[in-house]
Amino acid sequence: QGRIEIRGLQKVYASAKTQFEALRDIDLTIAENEFLTILGPSGCGKSTLLRIVAGLEDPTGGELTVDGDAIIGPGADRGMVFQGYTLFPWLTVRENIEYGPKLKGVPTLVRRGLSSHWLKIIRLESFAKSYPKQLSGGMKQRVAIARALANRPKVLLMDEPFGALDAQTKLEMQEMLLEVWEREKTTVLFITHDIDEAIFLSQRIVVMGANPGRIIREFQVELPNERT
Ligand code: ADP
Ligand code: ADP
């Protein structure tokens, strides 16, 4: 579960006077449970690509599927964590995590078990009743990751999720993300312009170039034996 196929993806932003080709001929397959990072300079179309996979924006051409199903609009099969992706400020940390399951009608007690499980993984058990404004930036992103994954998406879409954090917090978050990914075995499509981050996190790195946004390189990252 969680195989993404992108074929001949095109995106042209058009206004009355101008046309801008943001993505040209993107072909990409992301395997089940793969951690793939898209790396590229600012403006090469990374966010556009991710928003299209998220279903937040329509392509002007091409085909996209998750496990063979065409992507039409946002869906619970795709969880999202973005840099400035705000938590619901009027909900507590626990309520934020339970939000998706609650919408789906998961019973209260099951939801409780689920949020407790995630609070433990993100090490915020003592903040269950806190509100987002009482948390640091790193803590908020931990909750955002838990909220996305508590909804059991097949795919986790992350757009520079740690871009606003200081170096130390960023490293802690990257380690936590790998731990969670290894345990949950979800497909991750991660976007960054930070090459160190891409190398640290990914199994595979796809490099994009700008004008027009397109794929120009691809690398497989070798992992030490104990981590596959
Ligand atoms: P990245 O995430 O790699 O920085 P983006 O996907 O945000 O790149 O943007 C790619 C290009 O598309 C940029 O030149 C940007 O200005 C342009 N772009 C993005 N969104 C729009 C839009 N809604 N209308 C017109 N141009 C856009
Ligand atoms: P555990 O306590 O073993 O971690 P969970 O509390 O995660 O178990 O899940 C309990 C039950 O609820 C499981 O049968 C699981 O399939 C179901 N479940 C968990 N999350 C969801 C969800 N987001 N939507 C629907 N069912 C769910």
Side-chain angles (χ1 to χ4, degrees):
Q1 291 226 312
R3 178 185 167 90
I4 304 175
E5 293 209 40
I6 301 171
R7 291 286 164 270
L9 179 67
Q10 311 270 356
K11 179 69 185 186
V12 177
Y13 288 111
S15 67
K17 286 185 185 152
T18 60
Q19 287 225 329
F20 180 79
E21 191 179 15
L23 296 173
R24 177 187 288 182
D25 291 333
I26 307 285
D27 283 308
L28 185 61
T29 299
I30 306 162
E32 206 171 299
N33 303 336
E34 187 174 21
F35 196 125
L36 182 132
T37 294
I38 295 179
L39 176 71
S42 178
C44 71
K46 304 181 298 296
S47 296
T48 301
L49 175 60
L50 203 79
R51 284 199 307 271
I52 291 173
V53 175
L56 299 173
E57 204 170 318
D58 291 327
T60 39
E63 288 172 15
L64 294 94
T65 56
V66 176
D67 295 329
D69 297 324
I71 291 175
I72 306 161
D77 58 337
R78 284 152 288 144
M80 292 179 262
V81 181
F82 295 159
Q83 181 174 327
Y85 197 48
T86 43
L87 298 167
F88 302 118
W90 61 89
L91 297 179
T92 64
V93 165
R94 185 188 283 281
E95 288 163 347
N96 266 281
I97 295 171
E98 292 186 9
Y99 185 83
K102 187 172 180 178
L103 271 188
K104 278 201 213 158
V106 175
T108 310
L109 279 176
V110 177
R111 275 195 336 253
R112 246 321 111 114
L114 203 63
S115 54
S116 295
H117 170 75
W118 278 104
L119 285 165
K120 198 154 82 193
I121 292 178
I122 62 172
R123 297 174 206 106
L124 287 180
E125 289 135 302
S126 54
F127 289 86
K129 291 180 177 161
S130 303
Y131 285 87
K133 65 170 186 286
Q134 297 167 275
L135 307 180
S136 69
M139 288 171 166
K140 277 188 234 183
Q141 282 309 64
R142 261 140 73 192
V143 179
I145 293 170
R147 181 176 63 175
L149 289 174
N151 209 21
R152 303 227 157 143
K154 295 176 179 178
V155 176
L156 184 60
L157 305 174
M158 310 186 86
D159 190 350
E160 306 255 2
F162 312 140
L165 306 175
D166 64 82
Q168 177 59 33
T169 308
K170 190 170 184 167
L171 186 62
E172 287 168 18
M173 296 293 296
Q174 290 167 342
E175 283 171 346
M176 195 213 86
L177 176 61
L178 281 183
E179 203 182 295
V180 171
W181 170 70
E182 273 161 22
R183 169 186 204 139
E184 301 289 319
K185 279 297 168 202
T186 175
T187 304
V188 180
L189 177 52
F190 191 99
I191 278 179
T192 185
H193 62 262
D194 176 349
I195 190 165
D196 293 331
E197 179 164 65
I199 291 171
F200 183 74
L201 288 174
S202 344
Q203 290 182 303
R204 187 153 65 106
I205 300 173
V206 167
V207 182
M208 286 180 65
N211 299 315
R214 68 210 186 283
I215 294 175
I216 54 174
R217 290 281 190 287
E218 188 180 312
F219 300 92
Q220 197 75 38
V221 180
E222 303 281 338
L223 298 180
N225 290 331
E226 64 271 22
R227 229 180 65 200
T228 47

